[in-house]
Amino acid sequence: MASLSVTVITHNEAHNIEACLRSVSFADQLVVLDSGSTDGTVQIARSLGAEVSVSPDWPGFGIQKNRALALATSDWVLSLDADERVTPELQVEILACLRSPAFDVYSFPRLSSYCGQYMRHSGWYPDRVTRLFRRTAARFSDDLVHEKVVAQGPEGQLQSQLLHESFRNFEAVLDKANRYSTAGAQSLHNKGKTASVGKAIVHGLWAFIRTYFLRLGFLDGRMGLVLAISNAEGTYYRYLKLWLLQRDGKGAPAGQ
């Protein structure tokens, strides 16, 4: 059977990293690339057998994941975020792929929680993510945020789901909305995109309509409405920040 490395990038993930790494204890190598955690993330990861490296800077999600990929030594790589967990069913499918791979790249559905509720609509499920690949066959895009696996050739599809404990509470929602809207605005700014206050409002309104109505967010109950509103706010903030960047004529560093 081919060997497997699991790569995880972290920053203050002490509340997540143990569950994440324990869910992939079947891997041959655990790689954690940390960007200056102060909450015990590094110590916990090392206690679980992970090979931990610390980077002195934060270049964005895509570049950081490629740095972690460069530390992997196995035939195959499974890239995870610290708040993700491999289910026993997904483990069985992954091991089957390692025994007899039909593709060089595989995706699987991801089931994400939002303030304690797993969301099965709202555009959140099935949220198919490409994370398992032959080490020499793929890499991550260099995007500051919303990075993706770049590979050539067809992609295999696994059926078992990855669990994503994405937002423990609403404070986490607000924190991520702030960080991701800043990174998203900077990414758009770097690509020469422009915005206005009116465009920010329109994009925010469209995000609500898409999440709540077109993607059936109303079927997720009250939390579906909450999610649709927070999606609208995050989108509005991203384009408003882009407008402020262009108004001030400068870029701003994106924090993790």
Side-chain angles (χ1 to χ4, degrees), residues 3 44 83 86 185 193 247:
S3 58
I44 294 170
D83 57 1
V86 171
K193 302 295 183 179
R247 185 199 66 173

Side-chain angles (χ1 to χ4, degrees), residues 47-99:
S47 73
L48 294 170
E51 300 174 15
V52 181
S53 298
V54 178
S55 64
D57 62 336
W58 173 249
F61 284 93
I63 293 176
Q64 190 77 340
K65 286 192 175 183
N66 280 327
R67 287 175 172 177
L69 178 58
L71 299 172
T73 59
S74 297
D75 304 313
W76 285 74
V77 173
L78 173 63
S79 175
L80 295 179
D81 293 335
D83 57 1
E84 295 174 335
R85 292 90 175 89
V86 171
T87 60
E89 296 80 10
L90 181 56
Q91 174 184 336
V92 170
E93 285 199 74
I94 289 173
L95 292 176
C97 289
L98 297 181
R99 292 188 187 97

Side-chain angles (χ1 to χ4, degrees), residues 11-37:
H11 179 74
N12 288 339
E13 294 286 356
H15 56 288
N16 275 320
I17 192 62
E18 180 173 358
C20 175
L21 294 181
R22 288 193 183 281
S23 77
V24 289
S25 59
F26 59 91
D28 299 282
Q29 180 191 31
L30 302 176
V31 174
V32 171
L33 179 57
D34 189 78
S35 57
S37 292

Side-chain angles (χ1 to χ4, degrees), residues 93-183:
E93 285 199 74
I94 289 173
L95 292 176
C97 289
L98 297 181
R99 292 188 187 97
S100 182
F103 301 90
D104 288 337
V105 182
Y106 288 89
S107 67
F108 34 78
R110 181 172 64 171
L111 179 62
S112 300
S113 65
Y114 183 83
C115 297
Q117 177 178 321
Y118 284 108
M119 309 297 283
R120 297 187 177 273
H121 305 281
S122 305
W124 274 35
Y125 189 83
D127 175 25
R128 187 164 282 277
V129 292
T130 303
R131 298 295 187 78
L132 177 67
F133 49 89
R134 199 182 298 274
R135 181 168 56 87
T136 56
R139 65 182 299 278
F140 286 93
S141 64
D142 289 336
D143 296 304
L144 292 175
V145 67
H146 301 309
E147 71 292 341
K148 56 185 178 295
V149 169
V150 179
Q152 295 182 344
E155 175 183 278
Q157 293 192 344
L158 306 186
Q159 302 308 311
S160 299
Q161 60 197 18
L162 179 73
L163 293 183
H164 184 206
E165 307 297 336
S166 53
F167 296 103
R168 292 177 298 159
N169 49 49
F170 202 68
E171 284 72 19
V173 173
L174 295 175
D175 175 66
K176 192 169 185 178
N178 182 46
R179 290 186 291 113
Y180 272 59
S181 61
T182 297

